[in-house]
Amino acid sequence: MVEVTTLLVTGFGPFPGWERNPTPAMVKAVAALRLPGVRIVGHVFNTVYAEVERELPALIACHKPDAVLLFGLAGRTGHVRIEKHAHNVTTRRVPDASGAFHLSADIRTDAPWRLPTGFACGPLAARLRRIGLDARPSPSAGEYLCNFSYWLALEAVAQGGTKRALFVHVPLPLKAGRSARGAFSRRMTAADLAAVARMAALMITGRPAYLAKPVRRPFAQSARP
């Protein structure tokens, strides 16, 4: 059992085609948890390759988290995706928020074609489904910055910089209207995504049965490393 005393949780800002990203609010939802013995560090990345490549390793080196939990938007997906792998590839179709592409089609040359997470994705998906939210393990985190950041986090696991890492993709929530929780439809709200964020944090820290209560404290987004 991995003992988690520091959790790094991250999200992303807007990116081309998707100006409304729900993941910063999910980071705040996790940062508001009161988990005894766990320090939570939150950070929201600009959706820029160069910044993520610089900042994520620096955050891990600075805070020495036992676990890294990453959230990203999958705007065309109607369910929560618990990502099982990161792949050694970047897209050449869509630039990052600065208008740039990654320098190469591969993230790392002479590296494996994919890296698996050591986290059990099935139990998290099952827990979310039990509270009425459509969640499924996913074999691919795509080719964009979500996959890129996941690769860097899993690379840090392989190098001993952290003990476990997980990426969770979420759909775009409703702007208005009621949740269809339990109907397993696309109708998820911001409150539903906050519940996803909290459950993922409880599971990755090994506290699934703990009834966490929000604490009134400001979101301590880390300074730029």
Side-chain angles (χ1 to χ4, degrees), residues 180-199:
R181 187 180 291 201
F184 299 108
S185 77
R186 296 181 64 95
R187 294 183 59 84
M188 289 191 192
T189 64
D192 291 332
L193 297 192
V196 170
R198 289 189 290 266
M199 182 62 74

Side-chain angles (χ1 to χ4, degrees), residues 33-35 198 202 209-214:
L33 291 174
R34 181 186 288 122
L35 295 178
R198 289 189 290 266
L202 292 173
Y210 185 77
L211 295 177
K213 297 180 181 179

Side-chain angles (χ1 to χ4, degrees), residues 105-128:
D106 295 332
I107 299 174
R108 297 281 185 261
T109 58
D110 301 322
W113 70 285
R114 74 178 184 184
L115 293 176
T117 179
F119 181 81
C121 297
L124 173 56
R127 288 223 172 219
L128 290 170

Side-chain angles (χ1 to χ4, degrees), residues 36-124:
V38 179
R39 179 172 64 104
I40 299 173
V41 178
H43 188 82
V44 176
F45 296 111
N46 291 325
T47 312
V48 175
Y49 285 105
E51 294 187 25
V52 173
E53 188 158 24
R54 180 181 68 249
E55 292 174 7
L56 182 53
L59 286 164
I60 292 172
C62 175
H63 298 287
K64 298 178 173 54
D66 304 293
V68 180
L69 177 60
L70 309 100
F71 297 121
L73 171 64
R76 294 184 176 87
T77 301
H79 61 274
V80 177
R81 291 167 30 190
I82 316 299
E83 301 296 353
K84 298 166 63 176
H85 307 96
H87 288 81
N88 191 11
V89 63
T90 62
T91 183
R92 315 311 289 170
R93 299 187 302 274
V94 182
D96 67 16
S98 74
F101 293 93
H102 190 254
L103 294 177
S104 64
D106 295 332
I107 299 174
R108 297 281 185 261
T109 58
D110 301 322
W113 70 285
R114 74 178 184 184
L115 293 176
T117 179
F119 181 81
C121 297
L124 173 56

